[in-house]
Amino acid sequence: MPRSGQDYLESLRDGRAVWLDGELVKDVTEHPAFRNTARSVARLYDLACEPGTRDVLTVRPEGADRSVLRAYHVPRTPTELVERRKAFRTWSEASFGFLGRSPDYMAAGTAGFVSAPDVFAGEGFDGRDNLAAHYRRTSEGSLYQAFTITNPQIDRTRAASEQEEDDLYVRVVKERDDGIVVRGAKMIGTGAVFGDEVVVGTIEPLPRQDVEYALTFTVPLDTPGLKFISRTSYEAHARSVFDNPLSSRFDENDALLVCDDVFVPWERVLTYRDVDTTFRMWWFTPAYNNFVHQAATRFWTKLEFLTGLAILLTRANNTYALPPVQMQLGRLMGWLNIAKSMVVAAETMYERVDGEGSAVHLNKEIASAHRAMAGDLYPKVLAELKMLAGGGLIQLPASGYDLAHPELGPLVAKYVRSPGTPAEQRIKLLKLAWDALGSEFASRHEQYERFYHGAPHVYLPGILRDGDPDLLAAFTQSCLDGYRLEDLPGGGVPDALS
């Protein structure tokens, strides 16, 4: 059975170096910037232990003596692919879709790695045994893996080896008999401060001269020399769950990872000094498609939440039955079902890694299309909701204390209400809407949904690569080839064209 939520919280008290506002955070489970979100993650682990959800979230692999999180399981049938999606759904529903990098994200990626282990056999370094050991350790321990696989945005016009300074990006600075020493930085560690381990690598292609930067490794978060510099905490700025129901509980945070001469044992190195393997591990295994499976399922869940929010808002405003409002709600419902149907379609048209009995994963072309659809759609969903909410979003009591005040309470109850919706319920609803639509937390989520799978100039050409443009062009060409000038009535070329 996977570890409990309490076991998970205890594991975070390891002395990891998390920095926030110039302060070294001593305990992320107690600090006001992180404690509630840490408990939200702990709740996910508890769900994996509870009778009502245990069978959905865990599975005992054939021949194993214990169950693992289903996200770590390698699906070999279409049914197992759907069962994994149901596990993704269960966890995403617990955060209403607002924990993007919950532990199942990288767990699914690791399952993708071990589905095609030969990709890790580079010319000068064979990481297959290390990968197998990594998979056993993380799956059997139900570990929360974070990852940082993008170089900082310093100068994207230059290769890593062409930067003005050597140590801007993570690279090998020393090789020892027992391991390597690395130095430099990586972004964006979404949820990293809550992880057990962090996978450090590079997802973008590297030129041949960047061989010192072409490596992938994994280390515990308390590794000496490893630092995480956190962005501002929306949880820390939240007044209460009443006033900030989402940001107070589901701020997964983002952090810059800095390696200050970090020692990495050889057994924790997955790729080494190999630009091809370091790139191929993400794209020539099901790892990235597995990421999309979790993310697309979570996105579907998030749109369910936002569409439900729109329905509640219009009912509270007594506008639900108006034809223009019905049209807007119908548009949201349509978008929701597009997101849902793309997940189901990608599962139905699944692909295999290598022949019968091998691992299955989402259809690549549909998975790539989902990346483009979701990033383009999310701002439109928010815009529709803001139109439906109207001015009520910006005319709210400062906090729940106004409602509880003996003098102010009756005034708030009288003037901040609507037919059938008392003041307390209306204020709760609008504060929830503001947290999802207009707060700094909401702005971060809009940016996240648009860029967490890369910039459009990266993933849109990917749709072309994963598809079959020649087949599509040939289909259209067959129409052009089906008629000629000679087929005009009467034969020959008409006078106007002669």
Side-chain angles (χ1 to χ4, degrees):
M1 180 181 296
R3 60 182 175 175
S4 68
Q6 187 58 43
D7 292 335
Y8 162 72
L9 291 174
E10 289 295 333
S11 73
L12 299 182
R13 301 184 178 105
D14 56 5
R16 61 190 59 195
V18 176
W19 289 85
L20 174 69
D21 289 335
E23 171 195 358
L24 179 60
V25 176
K26 294 181 179 179
D27 184 350
V28 295
T29 69
E30 297 299 334
H31 194 282
F34 308 106
R35 60 191 179 195
N36 289 345
T37 303
R39 280 157 179 76
S40 293
V41 175
R43 175 61 184 150
L44 302 181
Y45 281 106
D46 283 338
L47 286 172
C49 301
E50 294 176 0
T53 47
R54 182 174 55 219
D55 291 342
V56 176
L57 290 166
T58 67
V59 61
R60 178 171 293 184
E62 186 176 349
D65 58 0
R66 60 181 297 173
S67 297
V68 299
L69 292 172
R70 196 174 291 274
Y72 272 112
H73 183 56
V74 177
R76 301 192 182 278
T77 67
T79 299
E80 290 183 336
L81 198 62
V82 172
E83 289 173 344
R84 185 175 68 182
R85 182 246 296 162
K86 291 178 180 177
F88 291 153
R89 279 275 286 171
T90 299
W91 266 11
S92 64
E93 287 172 351
S95 68
F96 309 101
F98 283 90
L99 287 180
R101 296 286 168 82
S102 46
D104 51 352
Y105 191 90
M106 191 62 215
T110 303
F113 294 152
V114 298
S115 298
D118 288 344
V119 172
F120 288 78
E123 291 185 6
F125 183 86
D126 190 339
R128 287 177 292 184
D129 288 344
N130 289 354
L131 171 65
H134 172 75
Y135 177 71
R136 286 193 300 271
R137 181 181 68 255
T138 55
S139 62
E140 292 176 1
S142 307
L143 298 188
Y144 183 172
Q145 297 177 79
F147 64 94
T148 53
I149 54 178
T150 305
N151 289 330
Q153 293 178 322
I154 296 174
D155 186 348
R156 291 289 171 87
T157 66
R158 298 183 181 184
S161 56
E162 297 172 345
Q163 299 293 329
E164 294 179 357
E165 298 179 48
D166 291 334
D167 301 326
L168 297 179
Y169 310 145
V170 171
R171 71 182 183 101
V172 182
V173 295
K174 187 177 182 180
E175 187 175 303
R176 297 171 17 180
D177 291 341
D178 54 348
I180 56 176
V181 177
V182 297
R183 186 185 303 158
K186 285 284 181 179
M187 60 178 279
I188 302 171
T190 300
V193 299
F194 302 108
D196 295 295
E197 296 188 4
V198 59
V199 178
V200 182
T202 302
I203 197 167
E204 63 263 23
L206 295 172
R208 295 292 172 186
Q209 68 265 29
D210 282 356
V211 66
E212 290 184 357
Y213 301 85
L215 74 157
T216 311
F217 59 88
T218 176
V219 288
L221 262 72
D222 63 345
T223 299
L226 198 64
K227 298 180 178 68
F228 294 89
I229 304 174
S230 169
R231 62 150 165 82
T232 188
S233 169
Y234 310 132
E235 179 182 324
H237 297 153
R239 298 285 298 275
S240 65
V241 175
F242 183 94
D243 294 301
N244 310 93
L246 299 174
S247 56
S248 65
R249 297 180 291 169
F250 306 121
D251 180 18
E252 62 189 345
N253 206 275
D254 308 280
L256 176 71
L257 174 142
V258 178
C259 295
D260 186 5
D261 287 352
V262 170
F263 172 68
V264 183
W266 282 121
E267 58 268 23
R268 284 184 169 270
V269 179
L270 301 179
T271 70
Y272 186 62
R273 297 182 67 84
D274 189 323
V275 296
D276 291 330
T277 304
T278 300
F279 174 73
R280 287 167 59 88
M281 63 177 283
W282 303 103
W283 303 106
F284 288 73
T285 73
Y288 205 90
N289 258 15
N290 288 359
F291 287 162
V292 176
H293 200 191
Q294 188 270 3
T297 303
R298 179 196 56 78
F299 187 75
W300 156 16
T301 304
K302 198 173 190 178
L303 291 196
E304 282 189 339
F305 168 82
L306 292 172
T307 303
L309 179 60
I311 292 169
L312 291 176
L313 284 169
T314 57
R315 287 177 175 171
N317 289 340
N318 205 25
T319 59
Y320 178 80
L322 298 177
V325 172
Q326 292 270 299
M327 184 181 72
Q328 287 179 273
L329 293 175
R331 184 178 293 117
L332 289 170
M333 290 285 285
W335 287 338
L336 163 61
N337 281 287
I338 288 172
K340 175 181 178 180
S341 62
M342 290 187 76
V343 176
V344 175
E347 293 170 350
T348 303
M349 300 182 69
Y350 67 91
E351 299 177 14
R352 286 196 178 274
V353 174
D354 185 23
E356 192 64 30
S358 64
V360 297
H361 57 91
L362 297 188
N363 178 278
K364 287 184 179 179
E365 191 171 2
I366 298 176
S368 291
H370 187 280
R371 295 165 63 195
M373 179 278 298
D376 185 56
L377 183 60
Y378 193 74
K380 297 178 181 178
V381 172
L382 298 186
E384 290 289 339
L385 271 158
K386 289 176 181 178
M387 289 295 292
L388 291 169
L393 282 180
I394 54 176
Q395 182 60 68
L396 278 171
S399 74
Y401 293 110
D402 289 342
L403 192 61
H405 192 276
E407 182 178 348
L408 291 179
L411 297 176
V412 172
K414 180 178 180 179
Y415 295 113
V416 189
R417 63 183 176 86
S418 56
T421 307
E424 180 177 342
Q425 289 302 312
R426 180 174 174 79
I427 292 169
K428 283 178 63 177
L429 175 61
L430 290 174
K431 282 187 174 289
L432 174 62
W434 181 254
D435 219 13
L437 305 175
S439 65
E440 191 172 0
F441 172 85
S443 295
R444 180 265 178 194
H445 270 268
E446 180 179 353
Q447 196 75 352
Y448 177 83
E449 297 293 356
R450 296 177 71 176
F451 288 100
Y452 76 96
H453 273 317
H457 73 271
V458 174
Y459 61 68
L460 289 178
I463 300 175
L464 191 65
R465 291 192 298 269
D466 290 332
D468 195 338
D470 292 337
L471 181 64
L472 298 175
F475 176 59
T476 305
Q477 185 66 41
S478 69
C479 177
L480 296 173
D481 293 341
Y483 55 88
R484 301 169 299 169
L485 278 174
E486 289 80 358
D487 297 330
L488 288 169
V493 180
D495 292 341
L497 297 179
S498 60

